Amino acid sequence: MKKKKKLYKRPTWDEYFLEVAVLVSKRSTCLRRSVGAVLVKDKKILATGYNGAPSGLKHCIDIGCLREKLNIPSGQRHELCRGLHAEQNVLLQAALYGISTKDSALYITNQPCIICAKMLINAGIKEIVISNGYPDKLAEKFLKEAKIKIRKISNA
């Protein structure tokens, strides 16, 4: 008697990289939102990043959220925060190890804010794949103007 072959569905590349971004987001130390980012080129992971305090500094999960203490709404006054955004950390990790970001794709759990959008434009990112939105219309406008392709995949 011949055994039935087990059906197995491999994730698409988009699903794979977004699932990695979700896993990376679990390292976040932010009390408000966990975000993960994966920088990819030619189907290879170049760097990862999540949102949290700079290396060696105390994390919000340990000392509390400055933004919550000051009642700052989401999407406003980004400078009043201990943490770096996942996009900032992924770009800094690439820079730290001498990895070019030119013509790469960013897989991220949330749409970038305007500050990160401007950094991603200057870093030469050609495409951003997100699984969730973010309330920043100006960021969307800048990315569109820079001709950076944004795709939303909601399976991760």
Side-chain angles (χ1 to χ4, degrees), residues 40-78:
V40 175
K41 188 170 184 179
D42 299 327
K43 298 180 184 167
K44 305 288 183 264
I45 294 174
L46 304 177
T48 64
Y50 54 88
N51 55 328
S55 298
L57 299 187
K58 292 181 181 176
H59 296 285
C60 297
I61 57 173
D62 299 320
I63 63 170
C65 176
L66 174 64
R67 294 175 60 78
E68 290 206 352
K69 289 175 190 168
L70 298 174
N71 285 327
I72 299 170
S74 180
Q76 297 178 17
R77 303 296 311 269
H78 298 287

PDB file of all heavy atoms in Angstrom, residues 40-78:
ATOM      1  N   VAL A  40      15.863  43.135   3.284  1.00  0.00           N
ATOM      2  CA  VAL A  40      16.063  41.997   2.384  1.00  0.00           C
ATOM      3  C   VAL A  40      16.560  42.469   1.025  1.00  0.00           C
ATOM      4  O   VAL A  40      16.104  43.494   0.510  1.00  0.00           O
ATOM      5  CB  VAL A  40      14.726  41.230   2.191  1.00  0.00           C
ATOM      6  CG1 VAL A  40      14.859  40.128   1.168  1.00  0.00           C
ATOM      7  CG2 VAL A  40      14.229  40.684   3.519  1.00  0.00           C
ATOM      8  N   LYS A  41      17.475  41.706   0.458  1.00  0.00           N
ATOM      9  CA  LYS A  41      17.913  41.934  -0.923  1.00  0.00           C
ATOM     10  C   LYS A  41      18.193  40.576  -1.555  1.00  0.00           C
ATOM     11  O   LYS A  41      18.861  39.734  -0.951  1.00  0.00           O
ATOM     12  CB  LYS A  41      19.156  42.819  -0.971  1.00  0.00           C
ATOM     13  CG  LYS A  41      19.527  43.240  -2.387  1.00  0.00           C
ATOM     14  CD  LYS A  41      20.600  44.301  -2.374  1.00  0.00           C
ATOM     15  CE  LYS A  41      20.875  44.766  -3.781  1.00  0.00           C
ATOM     16  NZ  LYS A  41      21.893  45.802  -3.809  1.00  0.00           N
ATOM     17  N   ASP A  42      17.686  40.388  -2.752  1.00  0.00           N
ATOM     18  CA  ASP A  42      17.883  39.132  -3.485  1.00  0.00           C
ATOM     19  C   ASP A  42      17.495  37.907  -2.647  1.00  0.00           C
ATOM     20  O   ASP A  42      18.211  36.906  -2.609  1.00  0.00           O
ATOM     21  CB  ASP A  42      19.333  39.010  -3.972  1.00  0.00           C
ATOM     22  CG  ASP A  42      19.732  40.123  -4.911  1.00  0.00           C
ATOM     23  OD1 ASP A  42      18.861  40.594  -5.674  1.00  0.00           O
ATOM     24  OD2 ASP A  42      20.907  40.547  -4.865  1.00  0.00           O
ATOM     25  N   LYS A  43      16.371  38.039  -1.927  1.00  0.00           N
ATOM     26  CA  LYS A  43      15.819  36.963  -1.090  1.00  0.00           C
ATOM     27  C   LYS A  43      16.758  36.555   0.051  1.00  0.00           C
ATOM     28  O   LYS A  43      16.685  35.440   0.562  1.00  0.00           O
ATOM     29  CB  LYS A  43      15.435  35.751  -1.940  1.00  0.00           C
ATOM     30  CG  LYS A  43      14.350  36.064  -2.951  1.00  0.00           C
ATOM     31  CD  LYS A  43      13.995  34.854  -3.768  1.00  0.00           C
ATOM     32  CE  LYS A  43      12.976  35.256  -4.829  1.00  0.00           C
ATOM     33  NZ  LYS A  43      12.797  34.260  -5.840  1.00  0.00           N
ATOM     34  N   LYS A  44      17.621  37.459   0.456  1.00  0.00           N
ATOM     35  CA  LYS A  44      18.550  37.235   1.578  1.00  0.00           C
ATOM     36  C   LYS A  44      18.315  38.298   2.634  1.00  0.00           C
ATOM     37  O   LYS A  44      18.180  39.478   2.328  1.00  0.00           O
ATOM     38  CB  LYS A  44      20.016  37.305   1.114  1.00  0.00           C
ATOM     39  CG  LYS A  44      20.364  36.373  -0.020  1.00  0.00           C
ATOM     40  CD  LYS A  44      20.398  34.926   0.431  1.00  0.00           C
ATOM     41  CE  LYS A  44      20.817  33.996  -0.668  1.00  0.00           C
ATOM     42  NZ  LYS A  44      19.758  33.366  -1.395  1.00  0.00           N
ATOM     43  N   ILE A  45      18.295  37.889   3.888  1.00  0.00           N
ATOM     44  CA  ILE A  45      18.122  38.830   4.989  1.00  0.00           C
ATOM     45  C   ILE A  45      19.452  39.531   5.255  1.00  0.00           C
ATOM     46  O   ILE A  45      20.479  38.885   5.484  1.00  0.00           O
ATOM     47  CB  ILE A  45      17.623  38.107   6.260  1.00  0.00           C
ATOM     48  CG1 ILE A  45      16.216  37.552   6.024  1.00  0.00           C
ATOM     49  CG2 ILE A  45      17.638  39.052   7.468  1.00  0.00           C
ATOM     50  CD1 ILE A  45      15.678  36.688   7.149  1.00  0.00           C
ATOM     51  N   LEU A  46      19.423  40.866   5.205  1.00  0.00           N
ATOM     52  CA  LEU A  46      20.624  41.674   5.428  1.00  0.00           C
ATOM     53  C   LEU A  46      20.748  42.119   6.883  1.00  0.00           C
ATOM     54  O   LEU A  46      21.844  42.169   7.433  1.00  0.00           O
ATOM     55  CB  LEU A  46      20.606  42.914   4.535  1.00  0.00           C
ATOM     56  CG  LEU A  46      20.476  42.690   3.034  1.00  0.00           C
ATOM     57  CD1 LEU A  46      20.399  44.035   2.307  1.00  0.00           C
ATOM     58  CD2 LEU A  46      21.634  41.856   2.517  1.00  0.00           C
ATOM     59  N   ALA A  47      19.611  42.487   7.494  1.00  0.00           N
ATOM     60  CA  ALA A  47      19.628  42.976   8.876  1.00  0.00           C
ATOM     61  C   ALA A  47      18.202  42.938   9.413  1.00  0.00           C
ATOM     62  O   ALA A  47      17.240  42.882   8.646  1.00  0.00           O
ATOM     63  CB  ALA A  47      20.178  44.407   8.931  1.00  0.00           C
ATOM     64  N   THR A  48      18.100  42.978  10.737  1.00  0.00           N
ATOM     65  CA  THR A  48      16.793  43.043  11.386  1.00  0.00           C
ATOM     66  C   THR A  48      16.805  44.164  12.418  1.00  0.00           C
ATOM     67  O   THR A  48      17.876  44.603  12.854  1.00  0.00           O
ATOM     68  CB  THR A  48      16.429  41.722  12.097  1.00  0.00           C
ATOM     69  OG1 THR A  48      17.355  41.482  13.156  1.00  0.00           O
ATOM     70  CG2 THR A  48      16.424  40.548  11.130  1.00  0.00           C
ATOM     71  N   GLY A  49      15.630  44.616  12.798  1.00  0.00           N
ATOM     72  CA  GLY A  49      15.530  45.647  13.832  1.00  0.00           C
ATOM     73  C   GLY A  49      14.162  45.615  14.486  1.00  0.00           C
ATOM     74  O   GLY A  49      13.186  45.208  13.876  1.00  0.00           O
ATOM     75  N   TYR A  50      14.121  46.012  15.726  1.00  0.00           N
ATOM     76  CA  TYR A  50      12.858  46.147  16.450  1.00  0.00           C
ATOM     77  C   TYR A  50      12.904  47.439  17.235  1.00  0.00           C
ATOM     78  O   TYR A  50      13.964  48.034  17.420  1.00  0.00           O
ATOM     79  CB  TYR A  50      12.595  44.945  17.366  1.00  0.00           C
ATOM     80  CG  TYR A  50      13.712  44.633  18.331  1.00  0.00           C
ATOM     81  CD1 TYR A  50      13.779  45.247  19.582  1.00  0.00           C
ATOM     82  CD2 TYR A  50      14.715  43.724  17.992  1.00  0.00           C
ATOM     83  CE1 TYR A  50      14.809  44.958  20.467  1.00  0.00           C
ATOM     84  CE2 TYR A  50      15.738  43.432  18.869  1.00  0.00           C
ATOM     85  CZ  TYR A  50      15.781  44.047  20.107  1.00  0.00           C
ATOM     86  OH  TYR A  50      16.792  43.765  20.975  1.00  0.00           O
ATOM     87  N   ASN A  51      11.757  47.896  17.714  1.00  0.00           N
ATOM     88  CA  ASN A  51      11.727  49.157  18.427  1.00  0.00           C
ATOM     89  C   ASN A  51      12.083  48.963  19.902  1.00  0.00           C
ATOM     90  O   ASN A  51      11.638  48.021  20.540  1.00  0.00           O
ATOM     91  CB  ASN A  51      10.373  49.875  18.258  1.00  0.00           C
ATOM     92  CG  ASN A  51       9.184  49.042  18.661  1.00  0.00           C
ATOM     93  OD1 ASN A  51       9.178  47.823  18.533  1.00  0.00           O
ATOM     94  ND2 ASN A  51       8.151  49.699  19.139  1.00  0.00           N
ATOM     95  N   GLY A  52      12.938  49.867  20.385  1.00  0.00           N
ATOM     96  CA  GLY A  52      13.372  49.816  21.771  1.00  0.00           C
ATOM     97  C   GLY A  52      14.476  50.818  22.031  1.00  0.00           C
ATOM     98  O   GLY A  52      14.963  51.481  21.113  1.00  0.00           O
ATOM     99  N   ALA A  53      14.835  50.927  23.293  1.00  0.00           N
ATOM    100  CA  ALA A  53      15.858  51.882  23.720  1.00  0.00           C
ATOM    101  C   ALA A  53      17.221  51.547  23.112  1.00  0.00           C
ATOM    102  O   ALA A  53      17.501  50.391  22.791  1.00  0.00           O
ATOM    103  CB  ALA A  53      15.955  51.891  25.241  1.00  0.00           C
ATOM    104  N   PRO A  54      18.078  52.560  22.954  1.00  0.00           N
ATOM    105  CA  PRO A  54      19.428  52.307  22.449  1.00  0.00           C
ATOM    106  C   PRO A  54      20.194  51.321  23.346  1.00  0.00           C
ATOM    107  O   PRO A  54      19.915  51.224  24.548  1.00  0.00           O
ATOM    108  CB  PRO A  54      20.091  53.692  22.491  1.00  0.00           C
ATOM    109  CG  PRO A  54      18.956  54.654  22.415  1.00  0.00           C
ATOM    110  CD  PRO A  54      17.835  53.990  23.159  1.00  0.00           C
ATOM    111  N   SER A  55      21.144  50.618  22.758  1.00  0.00           N
ATOM    112  CA  SER A  55      21.950  49.640  23.486  1.00  0.00           C
ATOM    113  C   SER A  55      22.533  50.236  24.757  1.00  0.00           C
ATOM    114  O   SER A  55      23.074  51.344  24.736  1.00  0.00           O
ATOM    115  CB  SER A  55      23.101  49.128  22.609  1.00  0.00           C
ATOM    116  OG  SER A  55      22.595  48.480  21.480  1.00  0.00           O
ATOM    117  N   GLY A  56      22.389  49.508  25.838  1.00  0.00           N
ATOM    118  CA  GLY A  56      22.964  49.924  27.112  1.00  0.00           C
ATOM    119  C   GLY A  56      22.077  50.840  27.947  1.00  0.00           C
ATOM    120  O   GLY A  56      22.382  51.109  29.107  1.00  0.00           O
ATOM    121  N   LEU A  57      20.979  51.343  27.378  1.00  0.00           N
ATOM    122  CA  LEU A  57      20.066  52.195  28.129  1.00  0.00           C
ATOM    123  C   LEU A  57      18.907  51.360  28.669  1.00  0.00           C
ATOM    124  O   LEU A  57      18.584  50.306  28.132  1.00  0.00           O
ATOM    125  CB  LEU A  57      19.523  53.326  27.253  1.00  0.00           C
ATOM    126  CG  LEU A  57      20.534  54.308  26.675  1.00  0.00           C
ATOM    127  CD1 LEU A  57      19.802  55.456  25.977  1.00  0.00           C
ATOM    128  CD2 LEU A  57      21.461  54.844  27.736  1.00  0.00           C
ATOM    129  N   LYS A  58      18.281  51.862  29.719  1.00  0.00           N
ATOM    130  CA  LYS A  58      17.146  51.159  30.308  1.00  0.00           C
ATOM    131  C   LYS A  58      15.961  51.158  29.344  1.00  0.00           C
ATOM    132  O   LYS A  58      15.731  52.125  28.629  1.00  0.00           O
ATOM    133  CB  LYS A  58      16.763  51.808  31.636  1.00  0.00           C
ATOM    134  CG  LYS A  58      17.829  51.611  32.688  1.00  0.00           C
ATOM    135  CD  LYS A  58      17.431  52.233  34.009  1.00  0.00           C
ATOM    136  CE  LYS A  58      18.576  51.992  34.996  1.00  0.00           C
ATOM    137  NZ  LYS A  58      18.334  52.639  36.265  1.00  0.00           N
ATOM    138  N   HIS A  59      15.245  50.065  29.361  1.00  0.00           N
ATOM    139  CA  HIS A  59      14.106  49.886  28.471  1.00  0.00           C
ATOM    140  C   HIS A  59      12.811  50.337  29.127  1.00  0.00           C
ATOM    141  O   HIS A  59      12.660  50.281  30.347  1.00  0.00           O
ATOM    142  CB  HIS A  59      13.972  48.415  28.068  1.00  0.00           C
ATOM    143  CG  HIS A  59      15.122  47.917  27.272  1.00  0.00           C
ATOM    144  ND1 HIS A  59      15.305  48.234  25.947  1.00  0.00           N
ATOM    145  CD2 HIS A  59      16.164  47.133  27.611  1.00  0.00           C
ATOM    146  CE1 HIS A  59      16.407  47.665  25.505  1.00  0.00           C
ATOM    147  NE2 HIS A  59      16.949  46.995  26.485  1.00  0.00           N
ATOM    148  N   CYS A  60      11.857  50.735  28.304  1.00  0.00           N
ATOM    149  CA  CYS A  60      10.541  51.167  28.788  1.00  0.00           C
ATOM    150  C   CYS A  60       9.845  50.050  29.565  1.00  0.00           C
ATOM    151  O   CYS A  60       9.129  50.328  30.527  1.00  0.00           O
ATOM    152  CB  CYS A  60       9.671  51.620  27.624  1.00  0.00           C
ATOM    153  SG  CYS A  60      10.369  53.055  26.767  1.00  0.00           S
ATOM    154  N   ILE A  61      10.055  48.801  29.177  1.00  0.00           N
ATOM    155  CA  ILE A  61       9.427  47.702  29.910  1.00  0.00           C
ATOM    156  C   ILE A  61       9.953  47.622  31.346  1.00  0.00           C
ATOM    157  O   ILE A  61       9.300  47.047  32.202  1.00  0.00           O
ATOM    158  CB  ILE A  61       9.599  46.328  29.201  1.00  0.00           C
ATOM    159  CG1 ILE A  61      11.064  45.990  28.970  1.00  0.00           C
ATOM    160  CG2 ILE A  61       8.809  46.283  27.910  1.00  0.00           C
ATOM    161  CD1 ILE A  61      11.310  44.587  28.433  1.00  0.00           C
ATOM    162  N   ASP A  62      11.118  48.237  31.582  1.00  0.00           N
ATOM    163  CA  ASP A  62      11.706  48.230  32.921  1.00  0.00           C
ATOM    164  C   ASP A  62      11.390  49.491  33.722  1.00  0.00           C
ATOM    165  O   ASP A  62      11.251  49.430  34.942  1.00  0.00           O
ATOM    166  CB  ASP A  62      13.230  48.065  32.828  1.00  0.00           C
ATOM    167  CG  ASP A  62      13.627  46.765  32.163  1.00  0.00           C
ATOM    168  OD1 ASP A  62      12.978  45.736  32.428  1.00  0.00           O
ATOM    169  OD2 ASP A  62      14.589  46.776  31.366  1.00  0.00           O
ATOM    170  N   ILE A  63      11.296  50.641  33.044  1.00  0.00           N
ATOM    171  CA  ILE A  63      11.132  51.910  33.782  1.00  0.00           C
ATOM    172  C   ILE A  63       9.869  52.679  33.423  1.00  0.00           C
ATOM    173  O   ILE A  63       9.619  53.746  33.968  1.00  0.00           O
ATOM    174  CB  ILE A  63      12.365  52.821  33.606  1.00  0.00           C
ATOM    175  CG1 ILE A  63      12.542  53.225  32.143  1.00  0.00           C
ATOM    176  CG2 ILE A  63      13.615  52.176  34.168  1.00  0.00           C
ATOM    177  CD1 ILE A  63      13.577  54.302  31.934  1.00  0.00           C
ATOM    178  N   GLY A  64       9.069  52.165  32.501  1.00  0.00           N
ATOM    179  CA  GLY A  64       7.836  52.850  32.122  1.00  0.00           C
ATOM    180  C   GLY A  64       7.997  53.659  30.847  1.00  0.00           C
ATOM    181  O   GLY A  64       9.101  53.910  30.375  1.00  0.00           O
ATOM    182  N   CYS A  65       6.859  54.069  30.317  1.00  0.00           N
ATOM    183  CA  CYS A  65       6.803  54.775  29.034  1.00  0.00           C
ATOM    184  C   CYS A  65       6.687  56.281  29.243  1.00  0.00           C
ATOM    185  O   CYS A  65       5.703  56.758  29.821  1.00  0.00           O
ATOM    186  CB  CYS A  65       5.609  54.266  28.233  1.00  0.00           C
ATOM    187  SG  CYS A  65       5.340  55.135  26.678  1.00  0.00           S
ATOM    188  N   LEU A  66       7.679  57.010  28.772  1.00  0.00           N
ATOM    189  CA  LEU A  66       7.679  58.467  28.847  1.00  0.00           C
ATOM    190  C   LEU A  66       6.483  59.053  28.098  1.00  0.00           C
ATOM    191  O   LEU A  66       5.829  59.980  28.568  1.00  0.00           O
ATOM    192  CB  LEU A  66       8.994  59.018  28.280  1.00  0.00           C
ATOM    193  CG  LEU A  66       9.122  60.530  28.157  1.00  0.00           C
ATOM    194  CD1 LEU A  66       9.079  61.176  29.548  1.00  0.00           C
ATOM    195  CD2 LEU A  66      10.425  60.882  27.449  1.00  0.00           C
ATOM    196  N   ARG A  67       6.171  58.499  26.949  1.00  0.00           N
ATOM    197  CA  ARG A  67       5.072  59.005  26.128  1.00  0.00           C
ATOM    198  C   ARG A  67       3.727  58.844  26.843  1.00  0.00           C
ATOM    199  O   ARG A  67       2.877  59.719  26.774  1.00  0.00           O
ATOM    200  CB  ARG A  67       5.057  58.303  24.769  1.00  0.00           C
ATOM    201  CG  ARG A  67       6.294  58.647  23.927  1.00  0.00           C
ATOM    202  CD  ARG A  67       6.346  57.853  22.633  1.00  0.00           C
ATOM    203  NE  ARG A  67       5.215  58.085  21.775  1.00  0.00           N
ATOM    204  CZ  ARG A  67       5.066  59.161  20.996  1.00  0.00           C
ATOM    205  NH1 ARG A  67       5.975  60.114  20.996  1.00  0.00           N
ATOM    206  NH2 ARG A  67       3.999  59.286  20.231  1.00  0.00           N
ATOM    207  N   GLU A  68       3.556  57.744  27.532  1.00  0.00           N
ATOM    208  CA  GLU A  68       2.310  57.551  28.283  1.00  0.00           C
ATOM    209  C   GLU A  68       2.234  58.512  29.459  1.00  0.00           C
ATOM    210  O   GLU A  68       1.182  59.070  29.738  1.00  0.00           O
ATOM    211  CB  GLU A  68       2.173  56.100  28.733  1.00  0.00           C
ATOM    212  CG  GLU A  68       1.914  55.195  27.558  1.00  0.00           C
ATOM    213  CD  GLU A  68       1.164  53.933  27.917  1.00  0.00           C
ATOM    214  OE1 GLU A  68       0.954  53.642  29.099  1.00  0.00           O
ATOM    215  OE2 GLU A  68       0.783  53.245  26.958  1.00  0.00           O
ATOM    216  N   LYS A  69       3.359  58.708  30.143  1.00  0.00           N
ATOM    217  CA  LYS A  69       3.394  59.641  31.274  1.00  0.00           C
ATOM    218  C   LYS A  69       3.030  61.054  30.835  1.00  0.00           C
ATOM    219  O   LYS A  69       2.399  61.803  31.577  1.00  0.00           O
ATOM    220  CB  LYS A  69       4.781  59.640  31.933  1.00  0.00           C
ATOM    221  CG  LYS A  69       5.092  58.388  32.696  1.00  0.00           C
ATOM    222  CD  LYS A  69       6.517  58.393  33.218  1.00  0.00           C
ATOM    223  CE  LYS A  69       6.873  57.023  33.771  1.00  0.00           C
ATOM    224  NZ  LYS A  69       8.302  56.878  34.028  1.00  0.00           N
ATOM    225  N   LEU A  70       3.427  61.425  29.604  1.00  0.00           N
ATOM    226  CA  LEU A  70       3.154  62.765  29.073  1.00  0.00           C
ATOM    227  C   LEU A  70       1.869  62.837  28.254  1.00  0.00           C
ATOM    228  O   LEU A  70       1.556  63.876  27.677  1.00  0.00           O
ATOM    229  CB  LEU A  70       4.346  63.234  28.223  1.00  0.00           C
ATOM    230  CG  LEU A  70       5.679  63.387  28.957  1.00  0.00           C
ATOM    231  CD1 LEU A  70       6.802  63.705  27.975  1.00  0.00           C
ATOM    232  CD2 LEU A  70       5.588  64.456  30.043  1.00  0.00           C
ATOM    233  N   ASN A  71       1.124  61.721  28.171  1.00  0.00           N
ATOM    234  CA  ASN A  71      -0.122  61.647  27.390  1.00  0.00           C
ATOM    235  C   ASN A  71       0.059  62.069  25.934  1.00  0.00           C
ATOM    236  O   ASN A  71      -0.744  62.821  25.385  1.00  0.00           O
ATOM    237  CB  ASN A  71      -1.233  62.490  28.028  1.00  0.00           C
ATOM    238  CG  ASN A  71      -1.814  61.826  29.245  1.00  0.00           C
ATOM    239  OD1 ASN A  71      -1.881  60.599  29.308  1.00  0.00           O
ATOM    240  ND2 ASN A  71      -2.221  62.616  30.219  1.00  0.00           N
ATOM    241  N   ILE A  72       1.108  61.572  25.292  1.00  0.00           N
ATOM    242  CA  ILE A  72       1.377  61.900  23.890  1.00  0.00           C
ATOM    243  C   ILE A  72       0.657  60.884  22.999  1.00  0.00           C
ATOM    244  O   ILE A  72       0.884  59.680  23.120  1.00  0.00           O
ATOM    245  CB  ILE A  72       2.897  61.897  23.601  1.00  0.00           C
ATOM    246  CG1 ILE A  72       3.582  62.947  24.472  1.00  0.00           C
ATOM    247  CG2 ILE A  72       3.163  62.136  22.129  1.00  0.00           C
ATOM    248  CD1 ILE A  72       5.079  62.878  24.463  1.00  0.00           C
ATOM    249  N   PRO A  73      -0.199  61.344  22.094  1.00  0.00           N
ATOM    250  CA  PRO A  73      -0.920  60.423  21.205  1.00  0.00           C
ATOM    251  C   PRO A  73       0.020  59.732  20.212  1.00  0.00           C
ATOM    252  O   PRO A  73       1.076  60.261  19.855  1.00  0.00           O
ATOM    253  CB  PRO A  73      -1.900  61.334  20.450  1.00  0.00           C
ATOM    254  CG  PRO A  73      -1.915  62.634  21.173  1.00  0.00           C
ATOM    255  CD  PRO A  73      -0.607  62.737  21.903  1.00  0.00           C
ATOM    256  N   SER A  74      -0.391  58.565  19.767  1.00  0.00           N
ATOM    257  CA  SER A  74       0.352  57.819  18.749  1.00  0.00           C
ATOM    258  C   SER A  74       0.513  58.675  17.510  1.00  0.00           C
ATOM    259  O   SER A  74      -0.398  59.398  17.108  1.00  0.00           O
ATOM    260  CB  SER A  74      -0.401  56.536  18.403  1.00  0.00           C
ATOM    261  OG  SER A  74       0.300  55.807  17.435  1.00  0.00           O
ATOM    262  N   GLY A  75       1.697  58.628  16.912  1.00  0.00           N
ATOM    263  CA  GLY A  75       1.956  59.360  15.674  1.00  0.00           C
ATOM    264  C   GLY A  75       2.401  60.790  15.872  1.00  0.00           C
ATOM    265  O   GLY A  75       2.609  61.501  14.902  1.00  0.00           O
ATOM    266  N   GLN A  76       2.557  61.236  17.120  1.00  0.00           N
ATOM    267  CA  GLN A  76       2.963  62.622  17.386  1.00  0.00           C
ATOM    268  C   GLN A  76       4.200  62.649  18.279  1.00  0.00           C
ATOM    269  O   GLN A  76       4.428  61.749  19.066  1.00  0.00           O
ATOM    270  CB  GLN A  76       1.826  63.382  18.080  1.00  0.00           C
ATOM    271  CG  GLN A  76       0.586  63.506  17.246  1.00  0.00           C
ATOM    272  CD  GLN A  76      -0.531  64.233  17.990  1.00  0.00           C
ATOM    273  OE1 GLN A  76      -0.304  64.904  18.976  1.00  0.00           O
ATOM    274  NE2 GLN A  76      -1.739  64.091  17.491  1.00  0.00           N
ATOM    275  N   ARG A  77       4.986  63.722  18.135  1.00  0.00           N
ATOM    276  CA  ARG A  77       6.135  63.999  18.999  1.00  0.00           C
ATOM    277  C   ARG A  77       7.066  62.788  19.173  1.00  0.00           C
ATOM    278  O   ARG A  77       7.392  62.387  20.279  1.00  0.00           O
ATOM    279  CB  ARG A  77       5.668  64.504  20.364  1.00  0.00           C
ATOM    280  CG  ARG A  77       4.801  65.742  20.371  1.00  0.00           C
ATOM    281  CD  ARG A  77       5.458  67.003  19.849  1.00  0.00           C
ATOM    282  NE  ARG A  77       6.757  67.305  20.387  1.00  0.00           N
ATOM    283  CZ  ARG A  77       6.995  68.058  21.454  1.00  0.00           C
ATOM    284  NH1 ARG A  77       6.017  68.608  22.109  1.00  0.00           N
ATOM    285  NH2 ARG A  77       8.224  68.285  21.839  1.00  0.00           N
ATOM    286  N   HIS A  78       7.493  62.228  18.050  1.00  0.00           N
ATOM    287  CA  HIS A  78       8.352  61.040  18.064  1.00  0.00           C
ATOM    288  C   HIS A  78       9.642  61.236  18.861  1.00  0.00           C
ATOM    289  O   HIS A  78      10.220  60.282  19.367  1.00  0.00           O
ATOM    290  CB  HIS A  78       8.712  60.619  16.633  1.00  0.00           C
ATOM    291  CG  HIS A  78       7.531  60.244  15.811  1.00  0.00           C
ATOM    292  ND1 HIS A  78       6.831  59.085  15.992  1.00  0.00           N
ATOM    293  CD2 HIS A  78       6.909  60.895  14.794  1.00  0.00           C
ATOM    294  CE1 HIS A  78       5.840  59.023  15.127  1.00  0.00           C
ATOM    295  NE2 HIS A  78       5.861  60.116  14.392  1.00  0.00           N
TER     296      HIS A  78
END
